Amino acid sequence: MTGRNGYRVAASGAWRDEEDGHRLPSGEAHAWEPGRNETVCGLSLARSGLVRLAGVPWADALPESGGAADRVRRVCPRCASVAGRRGPDARPRWRRTNPRP
């Protein structure tokens, strides 16, 4: 597993890159942990018809990353909030500036 977390991509579709032959996500992307049968947001992989892409890290499925996100049309907001979303549209983390005594 690469990166700081072990999240991978489960997507509604997949396509094959002509240059290197790797399968990449398309359609709607969800975060998924290998060894589990559901996404981070709780969708069942089999019942939802999602394709597991164990070779694609979650960070590469975000459209702002470029990488493997060429054909990703939507990123699940619940998965993005759990697995992390970095980019220009990411909200800053909540922080208390003036705590009560």
Side-chain angles (χ1 to χ4, degrees), residues 20-85:
D20 55 7
H22 293 166
R23 288 186 335 149
L24 300 173
S26 67
E28 184 173 355
H30 293 269
W32 163 69
E33 288 181 285
R36 304 218 28 171
N37 290 326
E38 64 182 12
T39 63
V40 175
C41 66
L43 289 177
S44 170
L45 294 174
R47 289 184 182 182
S48 300
L50 297 174
V51 179
R52 296 177 180 114
L53 300 165
V56 181
W58 170 249
D60 288 349
L62 300 175
E64 55 270 6
S65 72
D70 292 341
R71 297 189 185 173
V72 172
R73 298 291 171 234
R74 182 177 184 272
V75 175
C76 173
R78 289 188 282 172
C79 289
S81 69
V82 173
R85 180 180 188 111

